[in-house]
Amino acid sequence: MQTNFFSQINQLDISGTLKLVVAKKENGQLIVSILMDNVQCTNKERKTIPPLNLSALPEDLDRLFFDTISEPVNQTAAFFTSRQQYMKSLTTAKSKSENDGKQKGISALTPKEKKYKDLMEQSQKLEAEGKFKEAWTKLPDPLEYPDQAELIRNKRQALSEKFAPDLFASFDDSTAPYPVKDTEPEPEETEIVDNENDDLEYNEYAGLETEDQPEFDNQ
């Protein structure tokens, strides 16, 4: 038996997948359920399109099936196609808007703001590399940016805790301190006494030291 069923299906404006389910009823009628699906759309959008259900005798379906489904199927296909084009245009417009916003934000910065932004980015990069001292020196001057002064000082404090407390360690600290003069008096030199003549006795008559006293004649 030759039919033109699929030739007529091919003439429909199908955008996506046409799902066809057929079931028999006890009274001899057929239930035909037709669902248009498009995987390019979101699940929420796909669920908004209900299936088209037909119930009729086989001979009625032979005569009226395509006349009945053509318009709904074509409209559904048009909906999906329009929806895809809309979403694509929306995505493109959103991306363009974000890029324009970024470019506008960059161009709107004053030279001073741009300098602050560049210095902060350089400091963050050096910190990520573990170069904490270099990152400290790259931070902007808080006096130059009073609105950001607290943030800069806190960042400096956090970085200074990660390296030696002396930031200017490149200076030569190896020089010895100046000598301090000893203020205590030097001990006086004591005269060495020659004890070799300790046994000498003083002669009151001659004013000389002699070993023996003179003998006197008592007669």
Side-chain angles (χ1 to χ4, degrees):
M1 179 178 62
Q2 183 176 357
T3 65
N4 62 352
F5 180 83
F6 291 103
S7 297
Q8 295 188 64
I9 289 288
N10 189 48
Q11 294 176 12
L12 297 175
D13 185 10
I14 299 176
S15 177
T17 304
L18 179 64
K19 298 180 179 180
L20 185 67
V21 179
V22 180
K24 282 186 177 183
K25 295 178 66 175
E26 293 181 357
N27 59 4
Q29 290 184 338
L30 296 177
I31 300 176
V32 182
S33 180
I34 303 166
L35 178 63
M36 284 287 298
D37 192 15
N38 192 319
V39 295
Q40 300 298 326
C41 298
T42 64
N43 290 332
K44 183 178 180 180
E45 294 167 349
R46 294 161 67 183
K47 291 179 180 179
T48 59
I49 306 299
L52 174 62
N53 297 317
L54 304 177
S55 180
L57 295 171
E59 55 269 23
D60 293 333
L61 290 173
D62 288 339
R63 289 183 301 103
L64 303 173
F65 180 75
F66 285 100
D67 291 339
T68 304
I69 72 168
S70 294
E71 184 176 357
V73 169
N74 291 338
Q75 288 183 359
T76 305
F79 168 79
F80 280 135
T81 302
S82 176
R83 187 66 177 175
Q84 288 177 14
Q85 293 175 350
Y86 171 79
M87 294 302 295
K88 184 177 181 180
S89 300
L90 182 63
T91 302
T92 303
K94 183 178 179 181
S95 177
K96 184 177 184 300
S97 176
E98 290 177 352
N99 291 334
D100 291 344
K102 291 179 180 179
Q103 293 297 328
K104 183 178 180 181
I106 295 175
S107 60
L109 294 177
T110 64
K112 184 177 179 180
E113 292 172 338
K114 188 175 185 302
K115 178 183 177 182
Y116 173 85
K117 181 175 179 292
D118 292 341
L119 289 174
M120 291 297 290
E121 289 178 351
Q122 293 177 32
S123 178
Q124 291 174 359
K125 182 179 179 182
L126 290 169
E127 182 181 2
E129 295 174 356
K131 301 177 181 179
F132 305 117
K133 186 177 297 184
E134 291 83 348
W136 192 101
T137 59
K138 278 296 182 181
L139 286 172
D141 187 350
L143 298 179
E144 188 176 353
Y145 299 93
D147 294 341
Q148 305 295 336
E150 184 177 358
L151 173 65
I152 297 172
R153 292 191 180 99
N154 291 339
K155 191 65 179 176
R156 282 184 171 182
Q157 179 64 28
L159 288 171
S160 64
E161 293 175 356
K162 297 180 180 180
F163 59 84
D166 184 10
L167 180 65
F168 307 101
S170 59
F171 289 101
D172 186 7
D173 295 330
S174 61
T175 55
Y178 292 104
V180 179
K181 184 177 181 180
D182 190 358
T183 57
E184 295 183 2
E186 295 182 359
E188 296 182 358
E189 294 183 0
T190 56
E191 182 179 357
I192 300 175
V193 179
D194 187 1
N195 296 326
E196 183 177 352
N197 298 321
D198 286 348
D199 296 334
L200 296 180
E201 295 181 359
Y202 181 73
N203 188 330
E204 59 180 346
Y205 297 99
L208 297 176
E209 291 179 350
T210 61
E211 293 182 357
D212 300 319
Q213 294 290 340
E215 296 180 358
F216 294 92
D217 188 0
N218 294 329
Q219 296 179 359

